Amino acid sequence: MTSIHSLPLELLHQIFHLATYDYALSAELPSWKHYTLYHLDGGEDPWPMLYLGMERERTIQALRLTCTRWTALATEFELHYLMIHDVPRLKYYLGRIRKLLEKDGEGENNVKCPVRILNLRVIKGTGRVWTEEDTEMVVSLIRDCPNLDFMVNWCYTEGGQPTRLIMVAETHAAGPIILQSLVNSCPKLKRLHWKPKDIMQLLPSSWSSILGSSSLATSLEVLEIMSSPSAVADDHPPNPAPQLELPSLHCLQISVDDVNSSLATTIAKQWQLPSLTSLYIQSTYNSTFILQNNLGITLSPSATSLIETHGQSVTTLAIDRWTACHIPLHILPPAPVQELVYYMYGLQKSTSTPFTAISTLVLLMDMDRDSPLTNAIWRALEQLRKLQDYSLPKLEKVVILSWPLDELKEPHPIDIRLLDETERLLVDPWQQGTRRLVNRNGVRLFTLVKTDQD
């Protein structure tokens, strides 16, 4: 039998790839199927959570201790993905990578930095601000990772009372510094998720000028910006944002609430996105804030201008539930959208839809997890009566995202003999036509049956 140690390096790579669950780090496309529905932020994140768990770590540790040859290979796979939650961990990985890249006595080192994904979620302790030293460590880490193709920036600091977090701003302009370091050091970056909380802020013009002066303008395929832009003093008006073209960008996720309207407007007016196919419009606020403060006046222009400018190439448009509360479909401009993700409550407020090419309509419906399944189905049917007012000649499928319906494994039987006239009118469109009413997993919500009667 051939010794495993004599296997070609390419085959060993494939074995390690499977053994360490490295395949789970593949960059999946965004989808409403990843919505969790139960997070405090609404659970409407189209990206799957990058979490590999302890089993991966234990496997890598075992492989590293097997032999010298496997130690180097296991270390490479371990460092493919870094998730950093605090400053000590940031220092630890910075030291490990620098040691890995150290040159030998002859000044040579053939080792390439293996980091491909950097998930930066550094949380500073209560009352501590983000400092220049913290920023320099992040910049140093990025500088050592030229092969980075995926970065998540979700840093913030905590302050105030333990039961109420108050974000504390940093003492310097960390945002432009870190973004510029990505531009300078990571020419292969394809995905950037920028959502720090009240720190690392950038002006809309900074986004345009920094990205436009680098190879990232052509390499970026996915961009998420969910942080507020920098505040600008009244006596120092911002510079106008330069034109920016991102020819490879196919997915954009952007906040359109009032504090982010200037960035959304800049993207609508100054950015060229010829390859954009997926547009996710969201709010960084929670529902209570929006409903109490009536943000529709500031939300509508930003969303409208984004769709009007970039919507002609978009096939998937997703509007989160908080934004949908104040942006009924009938005020939006026409676009050839084929898949629309929207909120059931917003559907009730809309008198029509400009998206007549829709083939798949995904609707979020709020219900408690322990709600009876029958109640959830009838509620969906009652609210979908609104679709009769819309012109949707290409509609093939309606997906209802709701906790109780997610558990459905097969169509729920409804006895046709027990239906009154009103109920028959609700179920007939989904039984007689070609349109399908399904849950997240593609299971039809119901089927009509005739049960035996005593």
Side-chain angles (χ1 to χ4, degrees):
M1 181 180 294
T2 303
S3 170
I4 193 171
H5 295 287
S6 64
L7 291 175
L9 184 60
E10 295 77 9
L11 187 54
L12 270 180
H13 263 275
Q14 185 62 26
I15 294 174
F16 275 54
H17 177 74
L18 297 173
T20 63
Y21 303 93
D22 202 61
Y23 55 85
L25 298 177
S26 299
E28 295 188 42
L29 295 176
S31 173
W32 46 265
K33 293 181 180 180
H34 300 305
Y35 285 9
T36 54
L37 303 182
Y38 51 79
H39 284 175
L40 294 177
D41 61 358
E44 296 170 65
D45 190 343
W47 304 101
M49 182 178 296
L50 287 173
Y51 178 72
L52 298 178
M54 292 300 297
E55 188 171 352
R56 168 183 163 89
E57 293 186 20
R58 287 193 293 266
T59 300
I60 289 176
Q61 180 69 8
L63 293 173
R64 187 191 297 121
L65 297 176
T66 302
C67 66
T68 304
R69 186 186 185 197
W70 284 21
T71 297
L73 195 55
T75 300
E76 176 185 338
F77 276 86
E78 178 189 12
L79 297 178
H80 276 177
Y81 171 49
L82 301 185
M83 176 181 281
I84 301 176
H85 287 288
D86 51 40
V87 172
R89 199 70 172 168
L90 178 58
K91 293 179 179 178
Y92 167 75
Y93 278 119
L94 184 58
R96 279 200 64 185
I97 291 174
R98 285 185 171 176
K99 184 175 181 179
L100 181 69
L101 300 178
E102 280 181 356
K103 296 180 180 180
D104 58 24
E106 298 179 358
E108 295 182 1
N109 185 355
N110 296 321
V111 177
K112 297 180 180 179
C113 181
V115 180
R116 299 292 184 272
I117 300 176
L118 178 57
N119 196 347
L120 198 62
R121 299 182 176 222
V122 178
I123 305 173
K124 298 300 291 285
T126 301
R128 297 181 60 193
V129 299
W130 186 268
T131 67
E132 294 183 33
E133 181 183 0
D134 299 330
T135 298
E136 179 54 36
M137 281 192 291
V138 173
V139 170
S140 298
L141 182 60
I142 291 173
R143 190 184 301 124
D144 289 336
C145 302
N147 298 311
L148 199 67
D149 59 24
F150 181 176
M151 178 171 177
V152 178
N153 181 4
W154 202 348
C155 299
Y156 65 91
T157 56
E158 298 177 354
Q161 300 299 321
T163 57
R164 183 185 178 191
L165 297 183
I166 302 174
M167 303 310 166
V168 182
E170 75 269 28
T171 58
H172 62 294
I177 295 173
I178 293 175
L179 183 61
Q180 188 66 58
S181 71
L182 284 170
V183 164
N184 296 339
S185 306
C186 306
K188 301 178 183 179
L189 193 71
K190 294 181 179 180
R191 284 178 55 176
L192 176 59
H193 299 262
W194 193 275
K195 42 189 181 181
K197 299 180 181 180
D198 286 353
I199 62 174
M200 303 186 188
Q201 300 169 327
L202 292 102
L203 292 170
S205 57
S206 297
W207 277 105
S208 299
S209 59
I210 294 176
L211 290 180
S213 62
S214 72
S215 61
L216 293 193
T218 55
S219 69
L220 269 182
E221 298 178 1
V222 171
L223 178 60
E224 175 187 2
I225 306 176
M226 292 298 291
S227 65
S228 305
S230 295
V232 181
D234 295 337
D235 56 343
H236 290 86
N239 296 324
Q243 293 284 337
L244 172 64
E245 182 175 2
L246 301 175
S248 301
L249 194 77
H250 62 76
C251 179
L252 174 65
Q253 185 174 349
I254 180 70
S255 167
V256 295
D257 50 42
D258 59 342
V259 295
N260 229 20
S261 60
S262 58
L263 177 59
T265 300
T266 295
I267 293 175
K269 293 183 177 180
Q270 305 294 333
W271 290 20
Q272 303 297 319
L273 308 174
S275 301
L276 189 68
T277 57
S278 300
L279 177 59
Y280 288 81
I281 295 177
Q282 298 191 339
S283 170
T284 54
Y285 287 107
N286 59 41
S287 59
T288 304
F289 185 93
I290 286 185
L291 294 175
Q292 290 179 350
N293 292 274
N294 190 23
L295 297 182
I297 296 177
T298 54
L299 286 172
S300 300
S302 299
T304 300
S305 58
L306 278 171
I307 296 172
E308 186 173 30
T309 304
H310 301 300
Q312 298 311 306
S313 63
V314 169
T315 57
T316 296
L317 173 63
I319 301 176
D320 79 321
R321 71 185 81 186
W322 315 138
T323 308
C325 285
H326 291 279
I327 303 183
L329 293 174
H330 60 262
I331 73 171
L332 298 176
V337 174
Q338 299 175 23
E339 182 179 67
L340 175 66
V341 185
Y342 200 62
Y343 185 35
M344 187 73 85
Y345 176 76
L347 188 71
Q348 305 309 308
K349 297 180 63 178
S350 304
T351 58
S352 63
T353 175
F355 311 128
T356 56
I358 294 175
S359 61
T360 300
L361 177 62
V362 183
L363 294 171
L364 282 75
M365 185 175 73
D366 291 330
M367 292 198 76
D368 293 336
R369 196 163 201 164
D370 56 354
S371 297
L373 181 59
T374 302
N375 291 0
I377 293 174
W378 281 113
R379 180 176 175 184
L381 290 170
E382 290 169 359
Q383 298 194 3
L384 286 174
R385 188 186 308 183
K386 184 72 174 180
L387 290 182
Q388 299 175 8
D389 301 333
Y390 295 173
S391 174
L392 296 171
K394 298 184 178 181
L395 184 63
E396 300 175 356
K397 180 173 64 176
V398 175
V399 182
I400 305 297
L401 296 184
S402 183
W403 273 4
L405 298 179
D406 282 355
E407 305 300 325
L408 197 63
K409 304 300 182 183
E410 58 184 21
H412 182 72
I414 295 179
D415 192 338
I416 192 172
R417 300 178 182 181
L418 302 180
L419 300 182
D420 59 29
E421 184 176 350
T422 300
E423 291 170 336
R424 285 179 179 269
L425 291 175
L426 295 179
V427 301
D428 281 348
W430 308 104
Q431 286 292 115
Q432 299 177 359
T434 59
R435 296 178 176 178
R436 297 189 301 127
L437 180 61
V438 300
N439 70 355
R440 177 197 302 266
N441 302 311
V443 179
R444 287 183 180 269
L445 297 194
F446 69 93
T447 184
L448 296 181
V449 298
K450 292 182 180 180
T451 58
D452 295 333
Q453 294 183 339
D454 295 333

